[in-house]
Amino acid sequence: MGQLMMDKPQTWIVIFKDNATPEQIDQYMDMIKSRGGSIVQVYTDLFKGFAASMSQSLASSLQSFMPGVIDYIVFPVDRSLLNPKFDGYKLHNLDDSLTLQQHPLPGQGATQSTITTRATTITLSFEEFQSRVKHNHLSPGLNEGELAYIDAGRNLVLVRCDPDTAEVTFRTVFEIPEAIKTVGVTANESPNEYPVAIALTQDIWLVSDGQQSLHLVKITDNGDGTSKGTCVSSYEYLAPDRSGSVPSLRLHSARLQDGRIVAILSHRVSIEIPSTSPTISRARPTSKTVFDVIGASLQFSGSQSSSTTAVEVRWKARGDSVPILVAHSEKRKAYLLLGGTSYSLDGQDAPTPYEPSADEIAPIPRLGENLDGHKQTNDIPKPPPYSWTQTEDSVTIAFPLPSSTPASAIRVIIGARHLTLVANVPESEASIFPIPIPRYLQKDWWAEVDASSSFWTWDKEGERQKGETGVNTVGLLSLHLEKRHAGTRWPHVFHAVGTQVGPDVKPEDIEVPETLDPSELWHIRESLEKYTSALSEGRDVGGLGLGSGMPSLGQGEFDEEVDAAAGTPVVLTWIDDSGAQNQWDGKPWPAEAVLLSRPLPSPQRSAEDLARLPALVIKNDIDGVVFNPPRGLLESEGVQVDQDEKPKSHPGNLEWVHTSTFSALSFVLASKRDLRFVYHIGTKVVLAFEGNRGDAGENVYIYRATATNTARTADQAIIRIGGGTAGTLLGACGIMGPDGRSRVVCLCEKQLVVLPEIA
C-alpha cells in the first residue's frame, strides 16, 4: 500500500540540456507513454522539455534512461490542488481590537551594524551582501514563548512572550567575550559575521561570536525574576585559509547527538581564478569568493570548563553561495543544504597553474596563419557575443541578430536576478551568422536589476553612421536595465563570466570588456556586416573587430514583457552525517526550484525539532505550491512509510509531496520591492516582510490561503511596523497562542513588536 501511495501519478516538468536532440526527447516521451504515463504539454520556446503525468518511480528512472541529456526535473505538482479560477486577493482590514503591542528593547537595543569589516580592502559580493541583509536576528527557544537575540552591545537577551496575554519580559543573561588576537590583523582577514544563538536544551544555548569562537551558555534562574548565563565551554575554529588568516564563522544549525554537539557552520573563502594567459584584462577578476560549509562536532558537558577546545571538523563542502536553509533528517541521518548553488564535498582550491613570463612565450601559428605576414581571410577575428556599457544606475547590452528576425521570434524575460533570452532564428540563417545566436535560460546577472523599470528593444536596422545607406543584415536587440542598487559598478554582465577558462567556455561566459564610448556604436553593425560579407564572399577584410559602441533607444519596433520573477532560485544538496554524498545507492536528479517561502521560526520542543526538515513554498508559474518533505525522510507525525523501501536509496530521489497551494502568490510577491523575509505558517497564511524603508517603516503583507480549491478570491491584509522610534526590522518569529492561533513577534532596532493573532 505504501508503495502504491508513493507511485501515485503526479505532473513533472522535465527540462533537457541544450545539446539534446529532438529525437532523444521523442524517445523519452515514447518511453513514458509506454510505461503508463502521459505527456501533458511540450515546451519549445523558452527551453527544451515537456510536462508529463507519471509516477515517482518512473520519474526517478529517467536520468538513467539516457545519461547526460536531462538538465533537471522540478518538484512534482498535483494539478488537482491548483486553482485556475482564482481571480486575486481582496484587502481585508483587521479587527480594530487587534492592535500591535510595542515594547521598548532594553539597553542599547538591537542593530544590524554589529558586523565590522576588519579588513577594509575586502569587498562583499552582491549575494553575500544580500544574505546579510536577510539575516534573521531573532531566534526561537525550546521553552514556550521564548525567543532570543544578540543586542548592540553583544549581549544575549532572552525574551519571554506570554502565550495567553502576549506580555513581554526581557532578560539580559550573557555578554559575548571579545576575541583576543595574538597575531596582527592581515589585509586578507575575512569580515565578521553576525553573532547567532541557537537553543540546545531548555536552559543551554550555543552562541557564536561572529568570528572564530563558539560559547556554550547555561541559563540559571536567580530566584528574583532575573536570570544569569554562564559560559560552561568555549570552542575555537583554528583552520586557516590559504592566506594564513582564520575566517569568521556563521552558525546555521546546532543539535545534540550521542552526547556531542553537531553544528553546521560556514565561512567565506577567496580563491584564485586560474589564467591561461600571462596578461590579464583589468576587467577580469583574479579571484572569486566561495563558501565552505562545515559539519562540526563539539564536546558537550554541563560542567564548567576554563579551557577552550578546538572545533572538530567532520566534513567540509564548498559552494558558490551562503546556505539559505540547513535542515536535518533524523531518519536518514543526513543534512539538507538549501542554497543558490549545490555544495560539493570535493570542492578544493584549484591549483594555481604556472604562468610563463613574456620572454618564455613563443607564438604558435594557427591553421592558415602566417606569423611573418598578413593574416589569411579565414583568420578574421570573431566579434564577441554582445557589447555593453553602464552608468551609475543603468546597464545597456546589445545583442546582434539577423535583421530578418521578426519581433515575434524573440522572447525576453528580464528578471531581478537572471535573464531568459531566446531568439528563434532559422538554422539556415543561424549557420552563416558570424556569432552564435543568443540563448540564455535563467542566466544570473552579476547583480540584481529593477525588473519593473527594465525593458528591451529590437531595431532591425541597427545603427547607421550618418549618411550611410544600403541594406543591413544585422539588427540590434538592446536590453536596458535599471540597477537595483545604484552606484554599484558591474565588472561583468553575468555572474559566471570569468569563472572558467579554456576552450570549453560557453559563448555566453566569454569575457566581454565594457564599452566606454557609446558614440562608436555604429562599429558594431559595420564590423558584423563586413564579417558576414567576408565569410560569404571569401574576401580578405583583415583587421576587423567588434566595435565598442552601445545602442541608444531603438526607433523601430518596440516590445516589452511583464516580468513576474519572484523568489530565490535554490538547489537542494544532501550530505550524510558522516560527510558522504556517495554512500547512497543511485544518483539524485538535481533538485532545482525557486523558493518563495519557508516556515516562520517558532519555539519547539527540542533542538532536533528546530533542525527538522521544513515544508517549503515553491514557485509554480504564478502560484506558490506547498511541498512537504518526502515521506521516506520523516521520522514521526504518523506518516506511513513503505516497509520495503530500501534504506540506502538516495534521499534526493524521494518525492516532495504537494499538499496545498497559495494561488497567485508568486505574482503578488513579484510586485514587492526589497522583501527582507517571506515566511509561511502551515498552509494558512504567508507573511511578506518589507525592509530598508527607513523612517517610513516596513509593511508586513499577509496573504491567506483560499477556503477551497475553487474559491475565486482570498483575503490579504497589510500591517505597518518599524520605522520612526522603532527602527528597522531585523527579525521575526512566531509563538503559539492559547487557542492554537499564531502570534508573530518582530524584532526592530529599538522595539519588539507583537502582531495580533493572524493565523
Side-chain angles (χ1 to χ4, degrees), residues 165-185:
T165 64
E167 180 181 349
V168 172
T169 57
F170 299 92
R171 295 174 293 161
T172 302
V173 298
F174 178 73
E175 181 180 0
I176 301 176
E178 286 288 346
I180 299 177
K181 294 294 180 183
T182 58
V183 295
V185 176

Side-chain angles (χ1 to χ4, degrees), residues 134-158:
K134 296 184 178 182
H135 175 73
N136 191 340
H137 293 254
L138 196 58
S139 303
L142 299 181
N143 294 306
E144 188 178 38
E146 185 177 67
L147 309 170
Y149 67 92
I150 309 297
D151 70 7
R154 292 172 59 84
N155 298 297
L156 173 62
V157 180
L158 299 184

Side-chain angles (χ1 to χ4, degrees), residues 214-417:
L214 303 167
H215 304 282
L216 196 63
V217 180
K218 184 176 178 61
I219 311 299
T220 55
D221 192 345
N222 293 331
D224 57 357
T226 63
S227 300
K228 177 183 178 181
T230 303
C231 179
V232 296
S233 297
S234 292
Y235 315 92
E236 188 170 4
Y237 183 70
L238 301 175
D241 60 18
R242 290 184 56 185
S243 68
S245 62
V246 180
S248 297
L249 301 173
R250 179 182 297 197
L251 176 61
H252 294 276
S253 171
R255 61 188 183 87
L256 295 176
Q257 181 183 33
D258 300 330
R260 295 183 67 87
I261 303 170
V262 180
I264 305 300
L265 311 164
S266 72
H267 64 81
R268 78 194 312 262
V269 179
S270 180
I271 61 174
E272 295 180 4
I273 299 177
S275 173
T276 57
S277 171
T279 304
I280 301 176
S281 168
R282 289 179 298 172
R284 177 179 178 175
T286 58
S287 64
K288 62 177 291 190
T289 299
V290 296
F291 300 90
D292 280 352
V293 181
I294 301 166
S297 177
L298 313 174
Q299 294 180 2
F300 176 72
S301 174
S303 58
Q304 188 171 358
S305 173
S306 59
S307 61
T308 298
T309 59
V311 173
E312 178 186 333
V313 177
R314 284 187 172 182
W315 52 264
K316 183 182 291 188
R318 177 165 293 179
D320 290 336
S321 64
V322 181
I324 297 171
L325 184 148
V326 176
H328 185 258
S329 169
E330 181 63 25
K331 179 178 177 62
R332 288 303 182 94
K333 307 295 183 184
Y335 276 97
L336 170 63
L337 305 182
L338 203 69
T341 59
S342 60
Y343 298 89
S344 172
L345 287 162
D346 298 327
Q348 301 293 332
D349 287 359
T352 303
Y354 173 70
E355 293 287 349
S357 65
D359 295 336
E360 297 175 304
I361 298 175
I364 301 175
R366 299 181 178 88
L367 181 63
E369 182 182 16
N370 181 6
L371 296 178
D372 298 322
H374 297 287
K375 292 184 178 181
Q376 303 300 319
T377 302
N378 59 0
D379 198 41
I380 300 173
K382 286 191 175 183
Y386 56 86
S387 186
W388 69 289
T389 191
Q390 64 180 313
T391 64
E392 285 294 305
D393 56 4
S394 67
V395 176
T396 308
I397 314 167
F399 293 93
L401 285 174
S403 60
S404 59
T405 306
S408 59
I410 302 173
R411 297 292 303 276
V412 180
I413 299 178
I414 301 174
R417 300 180 181 89

Side-chain angles (χ1 to χ4, degrees), residues 487-510:
T488 302
R489 194 74 182 171
W490 288 26
H492 302 290
V493 173
F494 299 110
H495 182 272
V497 171
T499 60
Q500 300 179 10
V501 295
D504 296 330
V505 178
K506 297 179 180 178
E508 63 267 26
D509 292 336
I510 293 174

